[in-house]
PDB file of all heavy atoms in Angstrom:
ATOM      1  N   GLY A 210      -1.446  31.577   3.233  1.00 94.00           N
ATOM      2  CA  GLY A 210      -1.093  30.141   3.173  1.00 94.00           C
ATOM      3  C   GLY A 210      -2.317  29.251   3.413  1.00 94.00           C
ATOM      4  O   GLY A 210      -2.497  28.274   2.613  1.00 94.00           O
ATOM      5  N   VAL A 211      -3.037  29.481   4.403  1.00 95.00           N
ATOM      6  CA  VAL A 211      -4.240  28.701   4.626  1.00 95.00           C
ATOM      7  C   VAL A 211      -5.268  28.724   3.387  1.00 95.00           C
ATOM      8  O   VAL A 211      -5.743  27.670   3.026  1.00 95.00           O
ATOM      9  CB  VAL A 211      -4.937  29.066   5.987  1.00 95.00           C
ATOM     10  CG1 VAL A 211      -6.346  28.496   6.051  1.00 95.00           C
ATOM     11  CG2 VAL A 211      -4.063  28.716   7.123  1.00 95.00           C
ATOM     12  N   PHE A 212      -5.567  29.871   2.955  1.00 95.00           N
ATOM     13  CA  PHE A 212      -6.579  30.124   1.907  1.00 95.00           C
ATOM     14  C   PHE A 212      -6.071  29.403   0.539  1.00 95.00           C
ATOM     15  O   PHE A 212      -6.823  28.621   0.001  1.00 95.00           O
ATOM     16  CB  PHE A 212      -6.719  31.565   1.619  1.00 95.00           C
ATOM     17  CG  PHE A 212      -7.518  31.878   0.476  1.00 95.00           C
ATOM     18  CD1 PHE A 212      -8.910  31.719   0.599  1.00 95.00           C
ATOM     19  CD2 PHE A 212      -7.039  32.314  -0.867  1.00 95.00           C
ATOM     20  CE1 PHE A 212      -9.720  31.990  -0.651  1.00 95.00           C
ATOM     21  CE2 PHE A 212      -7.860  32.573  -1.818  1.00 95.00           C
ATOM     22  CZ  PHE A 212      -9.201  32.394  -1.832  1.00 95.00           C
ATOM     23  N   LEU A 213      -4.748  29.577   0.130  1.00 95.00           N
ATOM     24  CA  LEU A 213      -4.337  28.943  -0.999  1.00 95.00           C
ATOM     25  C   LEU A 213      -4.293  27.460  -1.018  1.00 95.00           C
ATOM     26  O   LEU A 213      -4.641  26.779  -1.853  1.00 95.00           O
ATOM     27  CB  LEU A 213      -2.953  29.580  -1.432  1.00 95.00           C
ATOM     28  CG  LEU A 213      -2.976  31.078  -1.882  1.00 95.00           C
ATOM     29  CD1 LEU A 213      -1.523  31.467  -2.051  1.00 95.00           C
ATOM     30  CD2 LEU A 213      -3.746  31.274  -3.220  1.00 95.00           C
ATOM     31  N   LEU A 214      -3.830  27.010   0.081  1.00 95.00           N
ATOM     32  CA  LEU A 214      -3.706  25.491   0.211  1.00 95.00           C
ATOM     33  C   LEU A 214      -5.035  24.833   0.267  1.00 95.00           C
ATOM     34  O   LEU A 214      -5.221  23.863  -0.469  1.00 95.00           O
ATOM     35  CB  LEU A 214      -2.861  25.177   1.627  1.00 95.00           C
ATOM     36  CG  LEU A 214      -2.559  23.638   1.646  1.00 95.00           C
ATOM     37  CD1 LEU A 214      -1.631  23.201   0.653  1.00 95.00           C
ATOM     38  CD2 LEU A 214      -2.055  23.357   3.108  1.00 95.00           C
ATOM     39  N   ALA A 215      -5.994  25.385   1.218  1.00 95.00           N
ATOM     40  CA  ALA A 215      -7.311  24.853   1.252  1.00 95.00           C
ATOM     41  C   ALA A 215      -8.015  24.927  -0.203  1.00 95.00           C
ATOM     42  O   ALA A 215      -8.691  23.870  -0.570  1.00 95.00           O
ATOM     43  CB  ALA A 215      -8.065  25.495   2.245  1.00 95.00           C
ATOM     44  N   THR A 216      -7.891  26.050  -0.889  1.00 95.00           N
ATOM     45  CA  THR A 216      -8.621  26.143  -2.189  1.00 95.00           C
ATOM     46  C   THR A 216      -8.021  25.245  -3.176  1.00 95.00           C
ATOM     47  O   THR A 216      -8.843  24.614  -3.923  1.00 95.00           O
ATOM     48  CB  THR A 216      -8.359  27.644  -2.678  1.00 95.00           C
ATOM     49  OG1 THR A 216      -8.902  28.540  -1.683  1.00 95.00           O
ATOM     50  CG2 THR A 216      -9.123  27.802  -3.861  1.00 95.00           C
ATOM     51  N   PHE A 217      -6.758  25.015  -3.165  1.00 94.00           N
ATOM     52  CA  PHE A 217      -6.084  24.101  -4.071  1.00 94.00           C
ATOM     53  C   PHE A 217      -6.684  22.645  -3.820  1.00 94.00           C
ATOM     54  O   PHE A 217      -6.978  22.008  -4.765  1.00 94.00           O
ATOM     55  CB  PHE A 217      -4.537  24.130  -4.023  1.00 94.00           C
ATOM     56  CG  PHE A 217      -3.948  23.131  -4.839  1.00 94.00           C
ATOM     57  CD1 PHE A 217      -3.890  23.046  -6.266  1.00 94.00           C
ATOM     58  CD2 PHE A 217      -3.348  21.907  -4.219  1.00 94.00           C
ATOM     59  CE1 PHE A 217      -3.312  22.102  -7.026  1.00 94.00           C
ATOM     60  CE2 PHE A 217      -2.914  20.831  -4.960  1.00 94.00           C
ATOM     61  CZ  PHE A 217      -2.853  21.026  -6.304  1.00 94.00           C
ATOM     62  N   ILE A 218      -6.511  22.192  -2.537  1.00 94.00           N
ATOM     63  CA  ILE A 218      -6.993  20.825  -2.229  1.00 94.00           C
ATOM     64  C   ILE A 218      -8.402  20.610  -2.705  1.00 94.00           C
ATOM     65  O   ILE A 218      -8.760  19.614  -3.261  1.00 94.00           O
ATOM     66  CB  ILE A 218      -6.753  20.680  -0.764  1.00 94.00           C
ATOM     67  CG1 ILE A 218      -5.282  20.581  -0.389  1.00 94.00           C
ATOM     68  CG2 ILE A 218      -7.390  19.287  -0.285  1.00 94.00           C
ATOM     69  CD1 ILE A 218      -4.984  20.643   1.178  1.00 94.00           C
ATOM     70  N   ILE A 219      -9.329  21.435  -2.256  1.00 94.00           N
ATOM     71  CA  ILE A 219     -10.731  21.269  -2.569  1.00 94.00           C
ATOM     72  C   ILE A 219     -11.088  21.303  -4.053  1.00 94.00           C
ATOM     73  O   ILE A 219     -11.752  20.489  -4.522  1.00 94.00           O
ATOM     74  CB  ILE A 219     -11.533  22.253  -1.734  1.00 94.00           C
ATOM     75  CG1 ILE A 219     -11.454  21.965  -0.258  1.00 94.00           C
ATOM     76  CG2 ILE A 219     -12.956  22.259  -2.167  1.00 94.00           C
ATOM     77  CD1 ILE A 219     -11.967  23.053   0.608  1.00 94.00           C
ATOM     78  N   THR A 220     -10.566  22.244  -4.727  1.00 93.00           N
ATOM     79  CA  THR A 220     -10.898  22.381  -6.168  1.00 93.00           C
ATOM     80  C   THR A 220     -10.168  21.192  -6.890  1.00 93.00           C
ATOM     81  O   THR A 220     -10.708  20.751  -7.894  1.00 93.00           O
ATOM     82  CB  THR A 220     -10.294  23.678  -6.783  1.00 93.00           C
ATOM     83  OG1 THR A 220      -8.978  23.878  -6.365  1.00 93.00           O
ATOM     84  CG2 THR A 220     -11.119  24.822  -6.226  1.00 93.00           C
ATOM     85  N   SER A 221      -8.885  20.783  -6.451  1.00 91.00           N
ATOM     86  CA  SER A 221      -8.288  19.746  -7.119  1.00 91.00           C
ATOM     87  C   SER A 221      -9.218  18.338  -6.983  1.00 91.00           C
ATOM     88  O   SER A 221      -9.265  17.604  -7.937  1.00 91.00           O
ATOM     89  CB  SER A 221      -6.973  19.588  -6.520  1.00 91.00           C
ATOM     90  OG  SER A 221      -6.396  18.224  -6.940  1.00 91.00           O
ATOM     91  N   MET A 222      -9.580  18.177  -5.722  1.00 89.00           N
ATOM     92  CA  MET A 222     -10.445  16.869  -5.482  1.00 89.00           C
ATOM     93  C   MET A 222     -11.681  16.969  -6.341  1.00 89.00           C
ATOM     94  O   MET A 222     -12.216  15.972  -6.824  1.00 89.00           O
ATOM     95  CB  MET A 222     -10.608  16.784  -3.946  1.00 89.00           C
ATOM     96  CG  MET A 222      -9.423  16.562  -3.084  1.00 89.00           C
ATOM     97  SD  MET A 222      -8.874  14.805  -3.099  1.00 89.00           S
ATOM     98  CE  MET A 222     -10.053  13.944  -2.341  1.00 89.00           C
ATOM     99  N   ALA A 223     -12.357  18.128  -6.317  1.00 89.00           N
ATOM    100  CA  ALA A 223     -13.564  18.303  -6.866  1.00 89.00           C
ATOM    101  C   ALA A 223     -13.433  18.048  -8.561  1.00 89.00           C
ATOM    102  O   ALA A 223     -14.212  17.487  -9.150  1.00 89.00           O
ATOM    103  CB  ALA A 223     -14.164  19.681  -6.793  1.00 89.00           C
ATOM    104  N   ARG A 224     -12.351  18.569  -9.003  1.00 88.00           N
ATOM    105  CA  ARG A 224     -12.076  18.407 -10.510  1.00 88.00           C
ATOM    106  C   ARG A 224     -11.839  16.959 -10.812  1.00 88.00           C
ATOM    107  O   ARG A 224     -12.279  16.383 -11.879  1.00 88.00           O
ATOM    108  CB  ARG A 224     -10.848  19.272 -10.917  1.00 88.00           C
ATOM    109  CG  ARG A 224     -10.629  19.243 -12.341  1.00 88.00           C
ATOM    110  CD  ARG A 224      -9.481  20.229 -12.882  1.00 88.00           C
ATOM    111  NE  ARG A 224      -8.222  19.916 -12.175  1.00 88.00           N
ATOM    112  CZ  ARG A 224      -7.700  20.674 -11.153  1.00 88.00           C
ATOM    113  NH1 ARG A 224      -8.358  21.824 -10.807  1.00 88.00           N
ATOM    114  NH2 ARG A 224      -6.547  20.458 -10.595  1.00 88.00           N
ATOM    115  N   GLU A 225     -11.052  16.217  -9.936  1.00 86.00           N
ATOM    116  CA  GLU A 225     -10.762  14.788 -10.278  1.00 86.00           C
ATOM    117  C   GLU A 225     -12.013  14.037 -10.091  1.00 86.00           C
ATOM    118  O   GLU A 225     -12.196  13.030 -10.872  1.00 86.00           O
ATOM    119  CB  GLU A 225      -9.813  14.370  -9.096  1.00 86.00           C
ATOM    120  CG  GLU A 225      -9.156  13.088  -9.401  1.00 86.00           C
ATOM    121  CD  GLU A 225      -8.046  12.858  -8.462  1.00 86.00           C
ATOM    122  OE1 GLU A 225      -8.233  12.192  -7.374  1.00 86.00           O
ATOM    123  OE2 GLU A 225      -6.774  13.142  -8.721  1.00 86.00           O
ATOM    124  N   ALA A 226     -12.881  14.320  -9.202  1.00 83.00           N
ATOM    125  CA  ALA A 226     -14.218  13.575  -9.113  1.00 83.00           C
ATOM    126  C   ALA A 226     -15.056  13.876 -10.428  1.00 83.00           C
ATOM    127  O   ALA A 226     -15.697  12.924 -10.924  1.00 83.00           O
ATOM    128  CB  ALA A 226     -14.918  13.963  -7.912  1.00 83.00           C
ATOM    129  N   ALA A 227     -15.116  15.168 -10.937  1.00 83.00           N
ATOM    130  CA  ALA A 227     -15.910  15.530 -11.991  1.00 83.00           C
ATOM    131  C   ALA A 227     -15.296  14.923 -13.251  1.00 83.00           C
ATOM    132  O   ALA A 227     -16.040  14.518 -14.235  1.00 83.00           O
ATOM    133  CB  ALA A 227     -15.928  17.082 -12.204  1.00 83.00           C
ATOM    134  N   ASP A 228     -13.922  14.700 -13.401  1.00 81.00           N
ATOM    135  CA  ASP A 228     -13.329  14.177 -14.582  1.00 81.00           C
ATOM    136  C   ASP A 228     -13.376  12.653 -14.628  1.00 81.00           C
ATOM    137  O   ASP A 228     -12.677  11.931 -15.403  1.00 81.00           O
ATOM    138  CB  ASP A 228     -11.940  14.638 -14.709  1.00 81.00           C
ATOM    139  CG  ASP A 228     -11.845  16.127 -14.941  1.00 81.00           C
ATOM    140  OD1 ASP A 228     -12.829  16.711 -15.383  1.00 81.00           O
ATOM    141  OD2 ASP A 228     -10.805  16.738 -14.819  1.00 81.00           O
ATOM    142  N   ARG A 229     -13.875  12.016 -13.546  1.00 77.00           N
ATOM    143  CA  ARG A 229     -13.975  10.523 -13.382  1.00 77.00           C
ATOM    144  C   ARG A 229     -12.520   9.951 -13.287  1.00 77.00           C
ATOM    145  O   ARG A 229     -12.265   8.795 -13.425  1.00 77.00           O
ATOM    146  CB  ARG A 229     -14.600   9.925 -14.696  1.00 77.00           C
ATOM    147  CG  ARG A 229     -15.994  10.418 -14.965  1.00 77.00           C
ATOM    148  CD  ARG A 229     -16.989   9.954 -13.861  1.00 77.00           C
ATOM    149  NE  ARG A 229     -18.381  10.345 -14.218  1.00 77.00           N
ATOM    150  CZ  ARG A 229     -19.358  10.272 -13.340  1.00 77.00           C
ATOM    151  NH1 ARG A 229     -19.095   9.766 -12.167  1.00 77.00           N
ATOM    152  NH2 ARG A 229     -20.567  10.671 -13.573  1.00 77.00           N
ATOM    153  N   GLY A 230     -11.610  10.882 -12.851  1.00 75.00           N
ATOM    154  CA  GLY A 230     -10.293  10.339 -12.518  1.00 75.00           C
ATOM    155  C   GLY A 230     -10.195   9.463 -11.271  1.00 75.00           C
ATOM    156  O   GLY A 230      -9.400   8.657 -11.149  1.00 75.00           O
ATOM    157  N   LEU A 231     -11.093   9.818 -10.359  1.00 75.00           N
ATOM    158  CA  LEU A 231     -11.162   9.012  -9.024  1.00 75.00           C
ATOM    159  C   LEU A 231     -11.579   7.605  -9.380  1.00 75.00           C
ATOM    160  O   LEU A 231     -10.974   6.651  -8.874  1.00 75.00           O
ATOM    161  CB  LEU A 231     -12.250   9.730  -8.052  1.00 75.00           C
ATOM    162  CG  LEU A 231     -12.385   9.122  -6.782  1.00 75.00           C
ATOM    163  CD1 LEU A 231     -11.171   8.973  -6.080  1.00 75.00           C
ATOM    164  CD2 LEU A 231     -13.472   9.690  -6.003  1.00 75.00           C
ATOM    165  N   GLU A 232     -12.674   7.460 -10.222  1.00 75.00           N
ATOM    166  CA  GLU A 232     -13.080   6.028 -10.503  1.00 75.00           C
ATOM    167  C   GLU A 232     -12.037   5.311 -11.263  1.00 75.00           C
ATOM    168  O   GLU A 232     -11.823   4.113 -10.984  1.00 75.00           O
ATOM    169  CB  GLU A 232     -14.244   6.081 -11.349  1.00 75.00           C
ATOM    170  CG  GLU A 232     -15.617   6.476 -10.684  1.00 75.00           C
ATOM    171  CD  GLU A 232     -15.879   7.966 -10.675  1.00 75.00           C
ATOM    172  OE1 GLU A 232     -14.893   8.669 -10.859  1.00 75.00           O
ATOM    173  OE2 GLU A 232     -16.987   8.372 -10.322  1.00 75.00           O
ATOM    174  N   LEU A 233     -11.187   6.011 -12.095  1.00 78.00           N
ATOM    175  CA  LEU A 233     -10.182   5.371 -12.798  1.00 78.00           C
ATOM    176  C   LEU A 233      -9.055   4.865 -11.826  1.00 78.00           C
ATOM    177  O   LEU A 233      -8.467   3.687 -12.068  1.00 78.00           O
ATOM    178  CB  LEU A 233      -9.551   6.335 -13.720  1.00 78.00           C
ATOM    179  CG  LEU A 233      -8.389   5.790 -14.676  1.00 78.00           C
ATOM    180  CD1 LEU A 233      -8.924   4.630 -15.622  1.00 78.00           C
ATOM    181  CD2 LEU A 233      -7.892   6.879 -15.562  1.00 78.00           C
ATOM    182  N   LEU A 234      -8.738   5.811 -10.855  1.00 77.00           N
ATOM    183  CA  LEU A 234      -7.640   5.348  -9.983  1.00 77.00           C
ATOM    184  C   LEU A 234      -8.135   4.165  -9.011  1.00 77.00           C
ATOM    185  O   LEU A 234      -7.310   3.268  -8.831  1.00 77.00           O
ATOM    186  CB  LEU A 234      -7.298   6.507  -9.131  1.00 77.00           C
ATOM    187  CG  LEU A 234      -6.493   7.598  -9.711  1.00 77.00           C
ATOM    188  CD1 LEU A 234      -6.370   8.791  -8.750  1.00 77.00           C
ATOM    189  CD2 LEU A 234      -5.018   7.036 -10.136  1.00 77.00           C
ATOM    190  N   LEU A 235      -9.459   4.309  -8.627  1.00 76.00           N
ATOM    191  CA  LEU A 235      -9.922   3.178  -7.755  1.00 76.00           C
ATOM    192  C   LEU A 235     -10.095   1.817  -8.472  1.00 76.00           C
ATOM    193  O   LEU A 235     -10.186   0.815  -7.841  1.00 76.00           O
ATOM    194  CB  LEU A 235     -11.220   3.613  -7.089  1.00 76.00           C
ATOM    195  CG  LEU A 235     -11.045   4.797  -6.149  1.00 76.00           C
ATOM    196  CD1 LEU A 235     -12.393   5.147  -5.465  1.00 76.00           C
ATOM    197  CD2 LEU A 235     -10.126   4.506  -5.076  1.00 76.00           C
ATOM    198  N   ALA A 236     -10.176   1.939  -9.904  1.00 76.00           N
ATOM    199  CA  ALA A 236     -10.225   0.720 -10.617  1.00 76.00           C
ATOM    200  C   ALA A 236      -8.955  -0.035 -10.495  1.00 76.00           C
ATOM    201  O   ALA A 236      -8.806  -1.349 -10.903  1.00 76.00           O
ATOM    202  CB  ALA A 236     -10.701   0.961 -12.091  1.00 76.00           C
ATOM    203  N   LEU A 237      -7.716   0.524 -10.200  1.00 78.00           N
ATOM    204  CA  LEU A 237      -6.578  -0.106 -10.057  1.00 78.00           C
ATOM    205  C   LEU A 237      -6.358  -1.037  -8.915  1.00 78.00           C
ATOM    206  O   LEU A 237      -7.186  -0.849  -7.888  1.00 78.00           O
ATOM    207  CB  LEU A 237      -5.450   0.978  -9.985  1.00 78.00           C
ATOM    208  CG  LEU A 237      -5.240   1.891 -11.256  1.00 78.00           C
ATOM    209  CD1 LEU A 237      -4.291   2.918 -10.935  1.00 78.00           C
ATOM    210  CD2 LEU A 237      -4.968   1.159 -12.414  1.00 78.00           C
TER     211      LEU A 237
END
Side-chain angles (χ1 to χ4, degrees):
V211 167
F212 174 75
L213 289 175
L214 184 68
T216 303
F217 171 75
I218 292 172
I219 290 170
T220 54
S221 169
M222 295 280 291
R224 184 175 59 251
E225 193 170 87
D228 294 343
R229 304 295 181 186
L231 179 60
E232 284 88 341
L233 183 63
L234 285 173
L235 294 183
L237 299 174

